[in-house]
C-alpha cells in the first residue's frame, strides 16, 4: 500500500510538473537564452541552465504549498545564473550578448519579466539604487547598439526585451518548444533521482 501511494503521488507530481512546463517552458527558455547571451536556435547553455532550475522546482514540487511555480523557477534561474555568470562573459551573438552578465540579469528581470525594482534588488542582494543604475546603463547600451544598426524606433518582436523602460507585455506563459520539452524531461529525471533527500540541496536556491 505504501508503495502504491508513493507511485500515485509521484505520478500526480510528474503530470502537474509537465503541465506547468508545457505552459511556461517556452518563456522560461527564452529568458534563459537572453541571460546566456546565445542566439536563437543555439541554446545549449540556456537549456542546461533551465534544466538545473526546473530540476530544483520539481524536487520541491510537493513543498511549494501554494507558491507560484513560475516565480519559484524564475528566482532559481536568476540565482543559478548569478552564481555561474562568469561562464557567460564571452559574447555569443545573442540579443543581450553585448551586456555584462549582471546587466543581462537585471534587464531580464526588470524589463522582460517585469519584476519590481525592490524585488529584483532583494533577489540579487543589491541596493535598489544599484539595480536602477545597472538597468539604466544596460538600456542605454542596447539603445546605442540599435542606433548603430540603424534600427532606432523599431518595435521589438514578441518575446524580446524592449529598448524602453517598461516591461514587456507578454505574460508568464509561452508556447512549448522542443528544447523546452527536452529540458523538462531532463529536469524531471534529475528531480526524481534527487528524491526526498534533495530538500537541502533544493533549498540552496530561492
Amino acid at each position: 500500500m505504501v508503495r502504491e501511494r508513493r507511485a500515485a503521488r509521484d505520478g500526480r507530481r510528474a503530470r502537474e510538473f509537465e503541465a506547468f512546463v508545457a505552459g511556461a517552458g517556452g518563456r522560461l527558455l527564452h529568458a534563459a537564452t537572453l541571460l546566456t547571451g546565445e542566439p536563437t536556435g543555439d541554446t545549449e547553455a540556456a537549456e542546461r541552465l533551465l534544466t538545473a532550475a526546473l530540476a530544483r522546482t520539481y524536487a520541491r514540487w510537493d513543498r511549494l504549498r501554494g507558491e507560484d511555480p513560475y516565480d519559484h523557477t524564475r528566482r532559481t534561474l536568476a540565482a543559478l545564473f548569478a552564481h555561474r555568470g562568469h561562464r557567460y562573459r564571452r559574447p555569443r551573438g545573442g540579443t543581450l550578448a553585448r551586456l555584462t552578465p549582471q546587466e543581462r540579469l537585471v534587464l531580464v528581470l526588470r524589463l522582460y519579466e517585469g519584476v519590481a525594482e525592490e524585488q529584483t534588488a532583494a533577489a540579487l542582494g543589491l541596493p535598489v539604487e544599484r539595480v536602477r543604475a545597472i538597468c539604466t546603463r544596460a538600456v542605454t547600451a542596447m539603445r546605442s547598439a540599435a542606433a548603430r544598426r540603424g534600427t532606432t524606433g523599431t518595435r521589438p518582436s514578441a518575446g524580446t526585451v524592449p529598448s524602453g523602460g517598461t516591461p514587456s507585455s507578454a505574460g508568464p506563459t509561452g508556447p512549448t518548444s522542443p528544447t523546452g520539452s527536452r529540458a523538462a524531461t531532463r529536469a524531471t529525471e534529475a528531480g526524481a533521482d534527487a528524491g526526498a533527500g534533495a530538500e537541502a540541496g533544493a533549498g540552496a536556491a530561492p
Side-chain angles (χ1 to χ4, degrees), residues 80-164:
L80 288 172
F81 180 78
H83 181 68
R84 304 174 181 181
H86 62 280
R87 303 180 186 180
Y88 310 107
R89 290 186 180 278
R90 181 171 58 84
R92 298 171 181 232
T95 303
L96 304 184
R98 297 172 181 268
L99 304 179
T100 67
Q102 186 182 57
E103 288 170 344
R104 276 181 246 152
L105 181 53
V106 169
L107 204 64
V108 168
L109 290 176
R110 288 287 296 119
L111 301 190
Y112 180 71
E113 289 293 331
V115 180
E117 280 186 344
E118 294 78 7
Q119 291 177 291
T120 300
L124 303 183
L126 296 172
V128 173
E129 295 76 12
R130 176 65 175 162
V131 168
R132 186 178 302 126
I134 293 171
C135 189
T136 299
R137 185 173 69 231
V139 169
T140 299
M142 294 300 294
R143 283 176 171 169
S144 297
R148 287 195 296 271
R149 293 194 304 267
T151 58
T152 302
T154 301
R155 183 182 179 87
S157 59
T160 62
V161 174
S163 59

Side-chain angles (χ1 to χ4, degrees), residues 26-100:
R27 183 173 177 83
L28 285 167
L29 179 60
H30 189 68
T33 303
L34 290 171
L35 289 174
T36 58
E38 293 169 296
T40 303
D42 182 16
T43 59
E44 182 178 351
E47 287 186 57
R48 288 197 301 268
L49 187 66
L50 178 57
T51 295
L54 286 172
R56 296 191 180 202
T57 297
Y58 184 73
R60 290 186 59 85
W61 192 260
D62 291 333
R63 296 185 293 276
L64 292 179
R65 296 175 182 172
E67 181 182 356
D68 186 347
Y70 184 89
D71 289 343
H72 182 277
T73 305
R74 180 179 60 201
R75 288 198 305 273
T76 304
L77 185 69
L80 288 172
F81 180 78
H83 181 68
R84 304 174 181 181
H86 62 280
R87 303 180 186 180
Y88 310 107
R89 290 186 180 278
R90 181 171 58 84
R92 298 171 181 232
T95 303
L96 304 184
R98 297 172 181 268
L99 304 179
T100 67

